[in-house]
Amino acid sequence: MSTLPPFANEPVLELRRAPVRAQLQDALRGLTARLPLRVPVMIGTGERTGTEMPSTDPGAPDHVVAVATRATEADVAAALDEAERGLHTWGATRAEERAAALVRAAAWLRERRLEIAALEVRECAKPWPEADADVCEAIDFLEYYARGAIALDAGPELLQVPGERNEMRYVPRGVAAVISPWNFPLAIPCGMTAGALATGNPVVLKPAEQSPGCALMLVQALRAGGVPASAISLLPGEGDVEAALVAHPRVQTIAFTGSLPVGLEINRAAGTVGPGQHHIKRVVSELGGKNCVIVDSDADLDEAVPGIVSSAFVYAGQKCSAAARVLVHEAIADQLIDRVAGAVQVLVVGQAGELGTDVPPVIEQAAQERVSRYAELARAQGEIVARIEPVPDRGWFCPPTVAAGLPRDSPVLNEEIFGPLLAIDRVSGVEEACDVVDGLPYALTGGLFARDPGVVRYVRERSPVGNLYVNRGITGAMVGRQPFGGNRLSGTGSKAGGPDYLRQFVEPRVVTENTMRHGLEV
Ligand SMILES: NC(=O)c1ccc[n+]([C@@H]2O[C@H](COP(=O)([O-])OP(=O)(O)OC[C@H]3O[C@@H](n4cnc5c(N)ncnc54)[C@H](O)[C@@H]3O)[C@@H](O)[C@H]2O)c1
């Protein structure tokens, strides 16, 4: 039985309070003075430096935030040897002790939350509220999975009959490779890593090349909490290292969050059985989206407009859950377009460290170029109904843009753009809106603004998405409250922060014993 208190979400900071804001600015100044961070390859108790890979501030690309060592294929082999040792020790550690280590890691993050949020501001241009929420979510994952793993370890009750004892337990699958994106630079690697560790699996973590500094914080937290070095290795890098990790026969589970093309490539590569491999790799995939918000003719626009605008533009639209397309009933389309355009026009585009900023720069030049290409296409194929220009010159800024009047087959309406570009599309009603949603290959998040309970029921029944939000914004899933993850090509439906997540990292074993003894052995 767990002696931990019931799970509760970590409260976000009250940013309206002047002393809190002052503390954040102090933390940012303190952190900036210590940059760049050095992020070595960390395997067991060893640390190695070598070929350098800088991560830079998206708002000041000439500022280096962290200098990571690029891991090699030889590091992958060494990390997996170490992880094998980790499996024997960490895998044999009692679930309660593993949970205690994760809870201590959460405490380590909590104590340093301002400094870590400041690092997210610098390394990933996360505005303060988003950076703070990301640290809170990381803490939540550690606390939530710690409790979940204790409950899972108890095993389910099976049917028992006289003369027979049946027992089912969940054991660690084995080494987990965790490959993470940059957009939730602490919470996402933390969630996948904590899920694997809580259930007794050693982890080799390959973070996004854009955010190695945040990954270093995670590894330091876990080790400070008591996770043995053999159970958590850090391999910064890109290219060869990922391919070698995914293909390695000793990897049992690959937990991946990122784009669809990369997810598909990983799934393909993981399907090959390597030399000496006696298992089928499990790939936990959490992928991209093209998230639609349906607005019915009776929707409360005072609720819908801010919900849509914040879901589309907060963190420059770089959340997998962000709103990308609005499907609005034609009866109120003009009114909605007008009001969304007005609301977008007053968004504050600025540096992530400035407290009033709504829309920060995007992560890198390639992202800026991608968003610009889609914006140009939107201009050519439809109409730009709002656009904030000019945006600051320094940094990878993209003008927040709203487009309308696009043809149904436009790539702007159908492909993941991952930036501050929202498309508004008119529909004849909720049925047509559901047909459009149903025709998309992605099914991550979705939204509905409507007052009629019958319409809400109808959309609920027809919506294929993993997370549907009704009469509210469509981002900001909370651990334990909104288990999060997509269906269709948006992922394997793994639902991070939910009751089923941990089962992906274990295998069930059943033992049946005949207890009808014929005679006694003495
Ligand atoms: N569904 C979710 O929960 C969720 C959450 C966050 C982000 N995302 C998605 O992630 C994407 C943005 O993140 P990104 O730009 O970091 O994604 P990405 O796919 O480019 O990279 C993700 C990770 O995969 C690694 N990688 C790249 N190529 C690889 C390969 N061939 N083999 C193995 N690993 C490889 C990268 O180095 C990085 O660590 C968006 O598509 C977004 O929707 C999804």
Side-chain angles (χ1 to χ4, degrees), residues 178-184 188 206-210 237-239 241-243 246 256-263 265-266 285-289 291 318-321 363-364 370 416 418 442 444 484-486 490-491 496:
V178 171
I179 302 179
S180 56
W182 49 267
N183 67 333
F184 289 83
I188 288 184
K206 205 306 288 175
E209 54 278 16
Q210 297 89 345
E238 59 179 325
V241 62
E242 301 145 356
V246 168
F256 171 75
T257 305
S259 60
L260 172 63
V262 173
E265 200 176 316
I266 290 176
S285 311
E286 301 180 54
L287 308 175
N291 308 309
Q318 300 173 110
K319 294 184 178 187
C320 48
S321 52
I363 189 73
E364 59 195 357
R370 183 185 66 241
E416 185 181 47
F418 219 58
Y442 289 112
L444 186 48
F484 183 81
S490 291

